Amino acid sequence: MWQDWLEIGIAVAIAIVGALLLAWIVTWVFRLMARRGSWPTVLVQRGRRPFRVMILVISLWIAINISLPPDTEWRDGINQAFTIAIIGASAWLVGALVYFATDLALGAYRIDVPDNRVARRIRTQMLILRRLAVALLVVIAIGAALLTFPSVRTVGASLLASAGIASVVAGLAAQSVLANLFAGIQLVFSEAIRVDDVLVVEGEWGRVGEITLSYVVLNIWDDRRLVLPCTYFTTTPFENWTRKGSELLGAIELDLDWRVSPTRMRTHLQHVLAGTDLWDGRASVLQVTDATGGMVRVRILVTAKDSPTLFDLRCIVRESMVSWVQQNTPNALPTQRLLITDPNAVRDAVEDPTPTSDGLFTGSSEAEERANEFTQAVPIIRPGDEDEADSAMATDETLKSS
């Protein structure tokens, strides 16, 4: 009995040494290849561990099968365990190869350059495809491992018979999950959003940091993270500032006095833009867009290569223009004007509102005659004639009573 265990131990030791030797030889070959290119180094980094594990498992399986007696009771269990281990190691190795392939594709398209629209599209699609491939590998590996059990194979036939009902129940139970899954795939391949796109969502400005099959992570400018489900971007309007390119046009508005000189401001604007690298040279406009409310509104339009650069450029132009107005044309600063009148004249007008000029129906005998024609002889009482009107009304009342 102990001789059998000794043979098994010797076989296992030989298998381990052989597996390590083979792994070392393969690594050495790829390091020699790395002198002519960088991709072998990336491949070794990604696939070294899963390759060693798979080689080790295969070597141990072969060694144990050779050294075990043919009539061993637990041979079937050992074979099943090694089969499951090989399935897991193979899935791990294939996943590492998927990561290696996507890393090569992502390395060929850089997103840290000004015009990176194509690179952002490729990066977004590659990341989603990698996640889909890894998820599919996990599902296949788990299914293959379960199929090694005879009882599971028996149950699998009955499950296939009721697959229609099961799919309907699963679809209803995971409706929101499936909706986000398909929304994520739709976002990626329709290019509605891409990694590193600049978005304005829910009043927040930020860059797309990550797109998964269920949610999107938006990196806000103040280092916050806004996590939104994929269905949000398929059902709600949002702003994408880098849909076709990263170049943007921005506005700076100033409310100034009427004594401002737009011509001199335009000359100073060209001087400011010529002294900064933030301006991309595409457009620079200064216009007076409004002149109401006692002030004129000056609008300046400038362009930059991307949104962060545009924000800094707008701040620089605004600050330079404010300093220039303060130092060179202080009369152009915003001014509030008040009309001050003689307080005595205002008080007299309030206390004696008698009109000083003749009107259409009052002020002269001819006007009173015209008034009688339009008012059907209703007397027009001028200011100061209240006493005479009262006595006339009393006389009329006496005559009526008598």
Side-chain angles (χ1 to χ4, degrees):
M1 186 67 181
W2 62 272
Q3 293 179 352
D4 295 338
W5 286 107
L6 180 60
E7 292 178 0
I8 294 174
I10 294 174
V12 169
I14 295 174
I16 294 175
V17 173
L20 294 178
L21 181 61
L22 178 60
W24 180 83
I25 292 174
V26 173
T27 303
W28 179 74
V29 171
F30 275 97
R31 285 180 179 177
L32 290 178
M33 297 174 59
R35 297 178 180 179
R36 299 182 179 181
S38 59
W39 66 268
T41 303
V42 179
L43 180 59
V44 170
Q45 292 176 353
R46 287 293 187 184
R48 178 172 52 190
R49 292 182 179 178
F51 177 75
R52 290 179 178 178
V53 170
M54 188 177 68
I55 293 298
L56 181 61
V57 171
I58 294 176
S59 301
L60 290 175
W61 191 13
I62 296 174
I64 292 177
N65 274 329
I66 293 175
S67 60
L68 276 179
D71 56 347
T72 305
E73 298 179 356
W74 31 277
R75 176 184 287 272
D76 294 337
I78 292 177
N79 290 332
Q80 184 178 2
F82 275 106
T83 302
I84 295 175
I86 289 177
I87 291 173
S90 301
W92 188 9
L93 181 60
V94 175
L97 294 178
V98 170
Y99 268 81
F100 163 71
T102 53
D103 287 343
L104 287 182
L106 295 177
Y109 296 93
R110 299 175 53 188
I111 62 174
D112 56 346
V113 294
D115 189 9
N116 58 359
R117 183 173 64 88
V118 176
R120 287 185 281 110
R121 176 175 61 84
I122 296 298
R123 185 179 184 86
T124 303
Q125 294 179 355
M126 283 296 175
L127 291 176
I128 289 296
L129 288 176
R130 183 165 70 182
R131 291 189 176 94
L132 284 174
V134 171
L136 184 62
L137 281 174
V138 171
V139 172
I140 293 176
I142 294 175
L146 292 176
L147 289 176
T148 59
F149 297 92
S151 59
V152 174
R153 289 198 297 267
T154 304
V155 174
S158 61
L159 288 177
L160 290 175
S162 59
I165 300 175
S167 61
V168 172
V169 175
L172 293 175
Q175 184 177 3
S176 60
V177 177
L178 294 176
N180 280 315
L181 175 64
F182 289 110
I185 298 175
Q186 177 184 350
L187 287 177
V188 171
F189 291 98
S190 65
E191 298 186 34
I193 59 175
R194 298 172 292 256
V195 174
D196 205 49
D197 268 355
V198 177
L199 305 183
V200 177
V201 180
E202 298 291 329
E204 299 286 355
W205 180 96
R207 290 182 178 273
V208 177
E210 184 180 2
I211 301 177
T212 68
L213 294 176
S214 58
Y215 60 88
V216 176
V217 179
L218 190 66
N219 299 333
I220 309 301
W221 63 274
D222 55 358
D223 291 338
R224 290 180 294 146
R225 299 294 182 267
L226 183 62
V227 181
L228 296 168
C230 292
T231 53
Y232 176 89
F233 295 94
T234 58
T235 58
T236 306
F238 61 93
E239 296 182 24
N240 189 340
W241 289 8
T242 54
R243 179 68 176 83
K244 293 297 183 180
S246 59
E247 298 85 0
L248 290 175
L249 174 72
I252 304 103
E253 293 186 339
L254 301 172
D255 289 333
L256 302 172
D257 191 76
W258 281 67
R259 289 170 288 186
V260 69
S261 174
T263 303
R264 296 178 62 187
M265 289 188 67
R266 198 172 287 113
T267 303
H268 180 67
L269 173 63
Q270 298 300 325
H271 176 72
V272 173
L273 296 178
T276 178
D277 296 333
L278 303 178
W279 182 51
D280 62 1
R282 290 189 298 120
S284 62
V285 179
L286 188 146
Q287 296 173 320
V288 178
T289 59
D290 202 354
T292 58
M295 288 182 289
V296 295
R297 175 160 296 177
V298 178
R299 185 178 68 176
I300 301 171
L301 300 178
V302 292
T303 56
K305 61 181 181 180
D306 52 31
S307 52
T309 306
L310 179 63
F311 181 82
D312 294 337
L313 179 61
R314 291 171 60 193
C315 293
I316 290 176
V317 172
R318 186 182 297 108
E319 181 179 350
S320 300
M321 284 298 174
V322 170
S323 300
W324 182 84
V325 171
Q326 292 174 347
Q327 297 173 4
N328 295 274
T329 57
N331 292 331
L333 295 175
T335 303
Q336 296 289 338
R337 291 179 174 85
L338 299 177
L339 179 61
I340 301 177
T341 59
D342 186 3
N344 296 326
V346 175
R347 184 177 63 251
D348 294 341
V350 174
E351 294 178 354
D352 186 13
T354 304
T356 57
S357 60
D358 295 341
L360 179 62
F361 297 116
T362 59
S364 65
S365 58
E366 293 82 0
E368 292 178 0
E369 292 178 0
R370 289 194 297 270
N372 291 333
E373 294 177 1
F374 284 95
T375 60
Q376 298 180 357
V378 175
I380 303 301
I381 302 175
R382 292 175 296 177
D385 296 340
E386 290 82 356
D387 296 337
E388 296 180 3
D390 293 339
S391 60
M393 292 178 65
T395 302
D396 292 341
E397 292 294 334
T398 304
L399 291 176
K400 290 179 180 180
S401 61
S402 61

